[in-house]
Amino acid sequence: MTWGDAARLGRVARFLPAGQDRRRDIVRKTKDGLEAARRRGRVGGRRPVVDDDKRAAILARRQRGESIRTIAAGVKVSIGVVHKTLADAKDS
């Protein structure tokens, strides 16, 4: 390592703690904002695709012996959503 490399490394090393502090501040502010939103009754995330009516329709159709593909097409949800709904119903 030359003196020039060492000098550059020294300059870069001085900025690393500042970047870490900035990241820590961003994470803290994000968590604080999400917590404040929860206290106001707001929750983040995507809305569920399956409401109670769709869930009942999926379970009833499966009870009648319909295939998962047919159920998905009829209820207008993905095959994965049907699988998840059936698995959740089986677990509970």
Side-chain angles (χ1 to χ4, degrees), residues 61-62 66-75 77 79 82-83:
R61 286 174 155 219
R62 190 60 177 174
E66 289 187 35
S67 73
I68 291 177
R69 284 183 188 276
T70 306
I71 295 169
V75 182
V77 295
I79 294 170
V82 175
H83 276 291

Side-chain angles (χ1 to χ4, degrees), residues 28-87:
R28 181 181 48 80
K29 287 178 183 180
T30 300
K31 287 182 179 179
D32 289 349
L34 290 171
E35 181 59 35
R38 271 189 219 102
R39 283 194 304 267
R40 289 191 308 267
R42 305 246 181 213
V43 272
R46 186 174 176 169
R47 291 189 178 151
V49 174
V50 177
D51 56 11
D52 291 336
D53 294 336
K54 283 185 181 180
R55 184 177 190 281
I58 289 170
L59 296 176
R61 286 174 155 219
R62 190 60 177 174
Q63 192 72 25
R64 289 192 302 252
E66 289 187 35
S67 73
I68 291 177
R69 284 183 188 276
T70 306
I71 295 169
V75 182
K76 294 187 177 29
V77 295
S78 71
I79 294 170
V81 168
V82 175
H83 276 291
K84 185 176 182 333
T85 304
L86 295 173

